[in-house]
Amino acid sequence: MTQELVSLTIIMAVAAVSPIVAQLIPGRFIPQTVLLLVAGAALGPYGLGAIEVNDAVKLLSELGMAFLFLLAGYEIDPKRLAGHQGKVGLLTWGITLGLAWLVVTFLPFFTKQGINGVATVIALTTTALGTLMPILKERNLEGTPIGDAIISYGTWGELGPILAMAILLSTRTGWQTMLVLGAFLTICLLCAMLPTKALRTGHRLYRFLTENANTSSQTLMRLTTFLLIFLVTISALFELDAVLGAFAAGFILRYIIPDGSKSLEMKLEGVGYGFLIPVFFVVSGAAINVRAVAGRPALLVAFIVMLMLIRAVPVYVALSLDKRKNPLSSHHRVTVALYCTTALPIIVAVTSLAVKVGTMQSDTASTLVAAGAITVFLMPLLGSITYQVADVHPVTAVREIAHTPSDWRTIVHEHAQVRALLHHQDRLKRMAETLDALEKQEGLNGLDSRRAELVERARLEIDRQLKELGLDPQLTTQLPHNYRYPKN
């Protein structure tokens, strides 16, 4: 027990220090997740050996992964899946799966590396939506057209591989697999229908649960945790991966509470991001054999390149062909595609399963997990860069500088001003939408009045900048994204 407590103490020390270090890094371009993974690799069995990954730590790590996928499933709006962008996301993931199968099967490189199996195919089609959600929130992308597109395509990038793992990596025959999945689906439907029926009928038990949700009983939090552990246990009994049960629990929770619950969300995020999820990422990092990764640099680089070609390119093409429904600029389409190439938790799950059944060597699994960890750092970084330069219109700026090189300072300054103004308008729009929602729900109180004052001040700032451009704020409420400051 002493060694378990020592390992857990070190893990939580890393978890506590990581956000401080991330904040101190200029530009905050390294997500906390990357720091947790690096610390795990440095302190784990293949590093300094300070962290021992024993059964107790493994159990907490599994619970951390379960909470991560619970929160990922909870973020999914069923209406989004059935909507236009959700259908396009499903089709895009299907194309990605087909491309991955072709590449892994027929490219000699993967055969020579001994990873031309189904596990590698699935790993190349994933998007780490659960990992991306806190990054999107940190970068104020949630609720924007870019954030919505990332979630729509990323949903199938997470849900698709989970279903593929259950079907394609099963050791049962085809009909047995379908029977087990049918039984699991039936249990999930019962878990969703019973609370929903109680909610609609106003059952006394439901009223008791809601009335005691924020007391010492914490009834809703306990029931949510029970639902998660129950479905993960059912997954284990059915010999399915725990990821499927956790994701299903989050999806069921969103179905039961379609409008969400801020109080419950805060508690789930507190337990998840405050304790269990950092344990999962540190332990995932501890599973990386750094020497094995260093000995196979070609596989590491090739896997990341294949991820970009197989996952990012189809997403970009789909967004480009669907411009009427998703009118994003080319830079923003690149941003979405790069974010959707972020991959880690599914890679950890699928490689662990492959190693367990003997279809993949542990050194190879370490390399693929390391590649996934690099994408958590690299893809959001590249996506952030393309997002920041999108509204500057760099191609146009280069052409203008080439035409009049002597005015390069003025041209760069003007393009930067336009980007700042457009970003200001995006923030104003989100603030106004939040204010409108609050007004509809419960009217303005003291806190909301201060928020309304901030919105009004932002509107006045936009008006001021519009006037500087020689535009009438009463007639011009939105600048086109191809707008440029007029030459003097």
Side-chain angles (χ1 to χ4, degrees), residues 241-259:
D241 196 270
V243 169
L244 180 62
F247 200 83
F251 198 75
I252 291 169
L253 187 62
R254 171 59 71 180
Y255 177 78
I256 297 171
I257 316 173
D259 296 327

Side-chain angles (χ1 to χ4, degrees), residues 41 92 95 119 202 298 326 384-385 402 411 418 458 481:
T92 304
I95 293 171
N326 297 291
S384 177
I385 292 172
I411 293 170
V418 171
H481 279 264

Side-chain angles (χ1 to χ4, degrees), residues 13 15 46 59 88 98 114 136 142 150 190 235 304 336 369 393 447 471:
Y46 300 106
L59 177 60
V88 175
L136 296 181
E142 194 177 32
I150 292 171
L190 289 174
S235 299
I304 295 174
V336 174
V369 171
H393 303 285
L447 177 61
L471 301 173

Side-chain angles (χ1 to χ4, degrees), residues 323-387:
K323 284 199 292 186
R324 287 188 178 181
K325 295 288 185 178
N326 297 291
L328 298 176
S329 68
S330 59
H331 293 82
H332 287 162
R333 294 197 295 273
V334 172
T335 298
V336 174
L338 288 170
Y339 272 102
C340 287
T341 314
T342 304
L344 180 65
I346 291 291
I347 293 180
V348 172
V350 74
T351 54
S352 298
L353 187 58
V355 170
K356 189 181 297 183
V357 299
T359 58
M360 184 180 290
Q361 296 180 352
S362 59
D363 288 356
T364 304
S366 286
T367 305
L368 299 190
V369 171
I374 290 172
T375 65
V376 175
F377 161 71
L378 183 62
M379 300 308 168
L381 174 62
L382 295 177
S384 177
I385 292 172
T386 58
Y387 176 70

Side-chain angles (χ1 to χ4, degrees), residues 280-345:
F280 164 68
F281 282 120
V282 173
V283 172
S284 296
I288 298 175
N289 186 338
V290 180
R291 292 182 180 177
V293 174
R296 307 183 74 176
L299 176 59
L300 181 72
V301 174
F303 191 79
I304 295 174
V305 172
M306 285 297 106
L307 271 171
M308 296 184 70
L309 293 176
I310 291 172
R311 184 66 184 142
V313 173
V315 171
Y316 179 84
V317 171
L319 286 168
S320 300
L321 295 176
D322 194 36
K323 284 199 292 186
R324 287 188 178 181
K325 295 288 185 178
N326 297 291
L328 298 176
S329 68
S330 59
H331 293 82
H332 287 162
R333 294 197 295 273
V334 172
T335 298
V336 174
L338 288 170
Y339 272 102
C340 287
T341 314
T342 304
L344 180 65

Side-chain angles (χ1 to χ4, degrees), residues 183-234:
F184 180 78
L185 178 61
T186 301
I187 293 173
C188 290
L189 289 174
L190 289 174
C191 291
M193 290 170 60
L194 292 176
T196 305
K197 187 175 181 181
L199 172 63
R200 290 173 180 172
T201 58
H203 195 275
R204 280 188 297 176
L205 177 59
Y206 173 77
R207 291 199 299 272
F208 170 80
L209 294 174
T210 53
E211 289 170 359
N212 290 273
N214 295 314
T215 66
S216 59
S217 299
Q218 293 293 320
T219 47
L220 291 183
M221 183 63 187
R222 293 185 187 184
L223 276 177
T224 300
T225 307
F226 166 72
L227 173 67
L228 173 64
I229 302 298
F230 173 70
L231 289 180
V232 168
T233 303
I234 293 296

